[in-house]
Amino acid sequence: MTDDRKGTVPVWMLATGDARVPALADDGPMTAERLAELRSVLAGLAEEPIATLEAHPLPDRLDRGRGIPLDAASPLAQHLSQLITQSARSSSASAPAVSEGLYRMVIPAKVAAQFGQGVIRPMAAKGTVCAFRGPLVDSAGKIVGGAKFVPVGPAASAGAVGGAGATAGVAIGGSAMLTVAAPLVLMAVAVGVSAHADGKRQQAIEHITELLEQLQEQELEQEQSALDGCRDAINKATAILLDQGKPGVSLGLDSAVHAINSALGAVDRRLAKWQSALDKLPEGQAVDLGTLTKSFPGIDDHGGVFRAHLELATLAIALKRRVVVLQAVEHAQSDPGNLFENFTRALKRDQQRLDELESGIAGVLVRLSMLELARPSGLRPVFTTAEVDRLMRAAHRIHQLGDGAMVDSRSTDVAIEIARDEDGSVVVFPALPA
């Protein structure tokens, strides 16, 4: 790898096609800030999407449970290995010297916007650190400053993805530091997006289980069971597609997609009802809690039906995002000459509905959090302590609804981190804001 005392980090410039860019003078060491500027320039000037890949030491403490493991024979692992090997031969001074490490691929915001806003939202992590955070980590997993990023010369050939027919090479014109590696970028994005969606699914399942234990609602339990039953088919289809196979009917993916689409139909109907109920409330006036709970049952409780509906919506959207990625990968691999463009086109088209659903739900939560609750109506001039406490608790819980809502869909750079072991196997972590 690199000597932490020197603080140097090898970095590759990966193009997803033959890119024409102006000659760049950054052949020597760069700061993290300069590298970020260079990404922006490449994103704006290159004809094809440009990603960067950094090689960092592998931290001792790494929660691999939140990532998707792939063995050394998988296309992503093979392409990463070939890129490292070929780079070491052609540019031994800046290429990694050992096989294991934490590789951080950064996709520019211009391209990341096509993956759907659900990919670029931060996701709360539990337990130990799950992946790389910061400019450089040492062998103990601690962040150290003063990193210098050293461009690595392009590999002569990073091989072809099986069935895709795309090889890596030097980009045409401009800087000689660009390496065409569309299959590697495609696979990293696909697995990172899938891992992110599965992480959101796991969080939703935890919340739903807790809520349903309190509610004991049989219909909601059946809805959860139908959705969670889709996981096995999606996991198997993911494994097959990432190995360049074609999922057959026996996997049950068709029935899983039907269950997910049915759940999304329920989300559509509930969202329309919520929006209609909010539109009917008197503008600028305090709202009676009883009136609010008729349209949003249990909104004043920690585990109400309304909150269970929100978590079921999160679960359905997360599962659908995984399916959309699978469909996009299959579509891209079916056209070897148009690998990355097919992938991003399919993602952008199919995820538009999911983005609109998430934005609609976020808008409802923000509107609810801004409501003012009216005093309890009645003939008595004085209210009991229990009534006052309930109103205060309800107001606090309702105002908190807007805390987790994100209606700002502005895109940001996306980082996908890959832990690579000495045997060539990898673990791809959920895509996160860079």
Side-chain angles (χ1 to χ4, degrees):
M1 186 58 64
T2 57
D3 190 342
D4 293 335
R5 291 169 298 178
K6 296 179 181 178
T8 57
V9 177
V11 57
W12 292 263
M13 303 293 176
L14 305 180
T16 55
D18 290 338
R20 295 183 181 275
V21 295
L24 303 172
D26 290 287
D27 293 336
M30 296 178 287
T31 63
E33 293 76 15
R34 178 56 185 156
L35 179 60
E37 293 175 359
L38 183 58
R39 287 194 192 105
S40 299
V41 171
L42 290 173
L45 298 181
E47 297 175 353
E48 300 288 343
I50 306 294
T52 59
L53 181 68
E54 307 161 13
H56 298 265
L58 192 63
D60 293 333
R61 295 174 296 171
L62 201 61
D63 180 10
R64 298 168 182 256
R66 292 180 62 245
I68 293 181
L70 299 173
D71 61 34
S74 66
L76 186 148
Q78 287 184 349
H79 278 283
L80 183 59
S81 297
Q82 291 164 2
L83 178 71
I84 296 168
T85 302
Q86 295 293 341
S87 298
R89 292 174 182 173
S90 60
S91 181
S92 58
S94 57
V98 297
S99 58
E100 71 173 11
L102 188 62
Y103 294 83
R104 186 175 192 251
M105 183 178 292
V106 179
I107 313 296
K110 178 180 177 181
V111 181
Q114 302 177 64
F115 302 154
Q117 63 187 42
V119 176
I120 60 175
R121 294 182 181 182
M123 185 172 58
K126 294 184 177 181
T128 57
V129 177
C130 69
F132 165 73
R133 300 284 186 275
L136 187 64
V137 289
D138 59 18
S139 59
K142 297 180 181 179
I143 297 175
V144 296
K148 293 290 185 181
F149 294 84
V150 180
V152 179
S157 174
V161 170
T167 57
V170 182
I172 298 176
S175 173
M177 303 310 296
L178 290 178
T179 299
V180 182
L184 176 60
V185 178
L186 165 68
M187 286 296 173
V189 171
V191 185
V193 171
S194 187
H196 183 280
D198 194 56
K200 297 193 74 173
R201 182 202 64 82
Q202 293 178 30
Q203 288 184 353
I205 285 292
E206 292 175 4
H207 295 158
I208 293 171
T209 302
E210 180 182 350
L211 291 171
L212 294 186
E213 286 176 354
Q214 303 174 38
L215 292 172
Q216 297 182 345
E217 290 278 349
Q218 186 175 2
E219 290 185 3
L220 294 180
E221 288 180 356
Q222 292 175 348
E223 194 171 338
Q224 177 202 354
S225 298
L227 283 173
D228 204 32
C230 302
R231 182 190 180 190
D232 187 56
I234 293 176
N235 285 346
K236 289 178 180 177
T238 301
I240 290 175
L241 273 176
L242 293 179
D243 284 337
Q244 261 79 51
K246 290 190 176 294
V249 179
S250 61
L251 290 180
L253 190 60
D254 290 346
S255 58
V257 171
H258 174 73
I260 295 170
N261 288 340
S262 298
L264 288 175
V267 176
D268 274 321
R269 292 190 297 272
R270 287 166 183 162
L271 177 58
K273 290 180 179 179
W274 296 338
Q275 292 172 331
S276 176
L278 286 171
D279 291 339
K280 293 177 182 178
L281 295 178
E283 188 175 353
Q285 297 182 27
V287 180
D288 181 72
L289 183 59
T291 301
L292 198 60
T293 53
K294 288 180 181 178
S295 301
F296 304 91
I299 192 174
D300 56 331
D301 295 329
H302 177 68
V305 173
F306 172 65
R307 296 174 189 269
H309 285 164
L310 289 175
E311 295 300 337
L312 284 168
T314 300
L315 175 58
I317 292 172
L319 289 170
K320 184 64 174 179
R321 285 199 185 278
R322 287 201 71 183
V323 170
V324 168
V325 172
L326 293 178
Q327 293 169 337
V329 171
E330 185 176 22
H331 185 51
Q333 290 178 165
S334 66
D335 186 358
N338 192 17
L339 191 68
F340 199 80
E341 288 184 3
N342 273 341
F343 175 71
T344 53
R345 188 183 302 115
L347 275 179
K348 184 176 182 179
R349 180 181 63 250
D350 293 338
Q351 294 205 70
Q352 185 175 357
R353 179 196 177 196
L354 301 179
D355 293 344
E356 291 173 352
L357 269 180
E358 285 191 328
S359 296
I361 293 172
V364 166
L365 295 178
V366 170
R367 291 175 67 182
L368 284 170
S369 68
M370 297 174 65
L371 292 177
E372 178 185 354
L373 294 183
R375 297 176 59 190
S377 57
L379 300 176
R380 292 175 299 147
V382 179
F383 303 103
T384 65
T385 303
E387 289 174 328
V388 174
D389 288 344
R390 185 198 174 199
L391 184 64
M392 292 182 65
R393 286 196 303 270
H396 178 68
R397 286 169 179 160
I398 292 172
H399 290 160
Q400 281 185 321
L401 288 172
D403 293 346
M406 295 184 63
V407 295
D408 186 359
S409 60
R410 287 179 298 177
S411 58
T412 181
D413 290 355
V414 170
I416 299 167
E417 295 158 354
I418 305 170
R420 184 177 185 272
D421 293 322
E422 290 186 2
D423 62 359
S425 62
V426 298
V427 176
V428 184
F429 294 98
L432 293 171

